Amino acid sequence: MSKNNRLTFFIFLALVLGAVLGYVLNVKSFDTFNRTISTADDQVKEADAKLSVIKDTTLTQYTQLNLQKKEALQLRKESEAAREKKLEPFTLLSDIFLRLIKMIVAPLVFATLVVGVAKVGDIKAVGRIGGKTMLWFISASLLSLILGLILVNIFKPGEAMNLPLPSSNVDTGLQKAAFSTKDFIAHIVPKSMAEAMATNEILQIVVFSLFFGVATAAIGEKGKIVIEFFDAVAHVILKVTGYVMNFAPLAVFGAMTAIVAKQGLGVLSTYAIFIGEFYSGMLLLWIVLIMIGYAILKKRVFNLMNRMKEPVLVAFSTASSEAAYPRTLLQLERFGCKDKIVSFVLPLGYSFNLDGSMLYMTFASLFIAQSYGIHLSFEQQITMLLILMLTSKGIAGVPRASLVVIAGTIATFNIPEAGLALLIGIDPLLDMGRSATNVIGNSIATAVVSKWEGELSEAQD
């Protein structure tokens, strides 16, 4: 068994063992916590339902209900904190791995992109590759959003919920991300390279790297020393990645154990229809992307998918496509994509080509509307799609980014923000599928742009 296949096997084994241990812990050790949290949730919902029909806020009943709700929320908070404390040994494993990956990503993006752009040479070539890349990204994003829109209208997963409209003051704990040109530009243009590196703002690092790479190429012979230096740095970081990836099975084991121990398998039965339909949509998106890839790459697309097993497993298990970035970059180069294309397209993809997240955004937004019986016309749905297309760009580094974007978008259409509470519980399970799909989308995009540029060589072992 080769080293890559061995690591893939151990990651898969860790995934299975984590799910089994998580289930045992959920049943044996966390049952009390989970029951308390569930009871508290029911009490909060009951109090909200009663509060919504009381018009006079001065009544004693209104005060008592508010007090009951406050006590239930406090009980839930204490139980969740106690549960998290018991899960710390497992969450620590995945936290350490993700921190190590984040340590690598920013310098890796900078070093590889500077070398890539400098090797491309003139700014016209950079513009040409950038134009082809953005054409693919915009097309793939629109395809994903439209697919999500079509599927949610066919499946109608929210109609089974049949929920009453909640009171307007329900707090979801998420900060809304209303579309702002100023915020969008702030996410793109760096004010400090050091700050962008420290906060892992990939898009800002890309912008600085483009300027630096073009300038390096422009100074001619002197720039060759810089290119050789950063080329060596990139190889050193990829070697470090190899060491870090040895911890991946432990991280996967910890992440899966924590998720299943908290959520239990019961969450799968409660939301079975929604989760099943969402993952069916993801599978359909994979098929569509691979078919498009086949039209351009021919049979080599299957070799690419085979090489992406390990990055996809890492992204799925840790619910982080960023965790799979170094390995994705390495596998794409071994597939035959030139380093100058990979180092240019892949970092951009992490901000502009999150296909899994795109599909989820339309799917989830309309699911919430359906759950409350809110009908959106065809024109409103298209408007929502275009808003999501804009607001989703450049926030890849934000925790639970998809939910934050959805929170800001649904408010525009008078859909209750409280509906996000329907998704927060199962979001980690959905995020796993989104992250894996993002890796597939970006790997196909990089291979396709390499083919278009005539820079796709034979695969390496």
Side-chain angles (χ1 to χ4, degrees):
M1 190 186 288
S2 71
K3 190 178 178 182
N4 280 340
N5 286 338
R6 193 161 61 243
L7 185 58
T8 304
F9 170 74
F10 281 124
I11 289 171
F12 182 74
L13 184 64
L15 195 67
V16 174
L17 292 175
V20 171
L21 179 60
Y23 176 69
V24 172
L25 288 173
N26 180 264
V27 174
K28 301 279 185 182
S29 305
F30 291 86
D31 191 45
T32 308
F33 294 128
N34 292 334
R35 274 209 308 268
T36 305
I37 292 165
S38 180
T39 305
D41 279 336
D42 291 340
Q43 288 171 354
V44 170
K45 286 175 188 173
E46 190 181 333
D48 277 333
K50 289 177 180 177
L51 285 167
S52 64
V53 296
I54 298 174
K55 304 298 180 188
D56 188 357
T57 57
T58 59
L59 291 174
T60 309
Q61 188 189 4
Y62 186 86
T63 308
Q64 287 175 339
L65 283 169
N66 258 326
L67 186 64
Q68 286 173 17
K69 180 183 171 181
K70 193 175 179 181
E71 287 172 352
L73 286 169
Q74 183 61 29
L75 180 64
R76 184 179 72 180
K77 188 178 177 182
E78 288 170 0
S79 298
E80 284 177 345
R83 187 176 66 178
E84 288 295 332
K85 187 76 177 169
K86 285 198 78 171
L87 281 171
E88 255 182 22
F90 299 105
T91 55
L92 203 59
L93 289 172
S94 56
D95 285 349
I96 290 169
F97 176 72
L98 290 174
R99 288 175 78 89
L100 287 170
I101 287 291
K102 285 180 179 179
M103 169 188 80
I104 295 166
V105 168
L108 184 60
V109 168
F110 179 56
T112 53
L113 191 50
V114 166
V115 172
V117 172
K119 283 183 179 177
V120 169
D122 64 294
I123 199 160
K124 286 182 183 176
V126 172
R128 187 186 67 246
I129 297 168
K132 290 175 181 177
T133 302
M134 292 311 294
L135 174 67
W136 176 274
F137 287 172
I138 291 167
S139 304
S141 293
L142 276 172
L143 171 70
S144 305
L145 286 165
I146 291 166
L147 187 60
L149 196 72
I150 292 167
L151 292 174
V152 78
N153 278 294
I154 293 171
F155 292 140
K156 298 188 186 299
E159 288 188 356
M161 307 298 279
N162 198 24
L163 299 172
L165 285 170
S167 57
S168 57
N169 60 349
V170 176
D171 182 27
T172 60
L174 285 170
Q175 186 181 357
K176 283 190 285 186
F179 179 66
S180 158
T181 308
K182 185 181 176 183
D183 291 341
F184 180 67
I185 290 170
H187 264 294
I188 295 175
V189 183
K191 61 181 178 183
S192 161
M193 182 54 184
E195 183 188 59
M197 294 277 278
T199 55
N200 264 18
E201 284 280 359
I202 300 298
L203 207 51
Q204 294 183 6
I205 295 168
V206 167
V207 170
F208 182 82
S209 303
L210 288 174
F211 278 105
F212 197 95
V214 169
T216 303
I219 62 173
E221 199 65 32
K222 290 180 182 177
K224 287 183 179 179
I225 304 166
V226 178
I227 295 169
E228 285 174 11
F229 170 74
F230 279 112
D231 199 21
V233 168
H235 280 89
V236 170
I237 296 169
L238 284 171
K239 192 68 179 173
V240 172
T241 299
Y243 301 146
V244 171
M245 285 307 296
N246 291 327
F247 295 99
L250 288 173
V252 168
F253 175 73
M256 271 314 288
T257 303
I259 287 171
V260 178
K262 276 198 286 188
Q263 304 292 342
L265 298 179
V267 74
L268 295 176
S269 59
T270 309
Y271 286 92
I273 296 171
F274 179 81
I275 293 171
E277 289 170 352
F278 174 70
Y279 271 93
S280 299
M282 284 289 179
L283 181 62
L284 185 59
L285 179 58
W286 279 39
I287 292 167
V288 171
L289 287 172
I290 291 169
M291 282 171 63
I292 296 169
Y294 182 81
I296 299 164
L297 303 168
K298 306 305 178 192
K299 289 182 181 179
R300 287 196 67 181
V301 76
F302 301 116
N303 178 257
L304 176 64
M305 292 300 97
N306 185 48
R307 288 173 180 274
M308 286 299 136
K309 285 184 301 188
E310 186 192 308
V312 165
L313 261 178
V314 170
F316 180 82
S317 311
T318 59
S320 168
S321 35
E322 197 176 60
Y325 179 89
R327 211 65 184 174
T328 307
L329 185 141
L330 197 63
Q331 289 294 353
L332 282 167
E333 288 187 358
R334 287 176 178 171
F335 174 70
C337 301
K338 287 285 190 292
D339 56 355
K340 64 182 182 182
I341 305 289
V342 177
S343 57
F344 183 84
V345 177
L346 200 57
L348 282 175
Y350 270 68
S351 287
F352 289 105
N353 191 44
L354 302 173
D355 298 333
S357 301
M358 295 285 113
L359 185 140
Y360 176 68
M361 285 175 195
T362 43
F363 202 93
S365 299
L366 290 173
F367 165 74
I368 295 168
Q370 290 171 1
S371 298
Y372 291 114
I374 298 169
H375 175 72
L376 294 178
S377 66
F378 176 73
E379 290 80 5
Q380 286 176 308
Q381 290 188 30
I382 294 298
T383 305
M384 178 185 280
L385 183 148
L386 294 173
I387 291 172
L388 285 168
M389 181 77 183
L390 291 170
T391 54
S392 61
K393 301 306 175 195
I395 64 147
V398 178
R400 295 198 292 187
S402 298
L403 285 179
V404 173
V405 172
I406 291 166
T409 305
I410 61 175
T412 312
F413 297 89
N414 296 318
I415 300 168
E417 244 184 280
L420 286 164
L422 300 170
L423 298 170
I424 288 172
I426 57 167
D427 190 63
L429 296 171
L430 304 175
D431 202 10
M432 294 160 80
R434 295 199 300 263
S435 300
T437 306
N438 292 341
V439 171
I440 290 293
N442 281 320
S443 61
I444 292 174
T446 308
V448 166
V449 173
S450 296
K451 178 76 173 178
W452 283 345
E453 279 292 302
E455 298 281 2
L456 190 62
S457 56
E458 290 299 312
Q460 303 168 20
D461 291 331

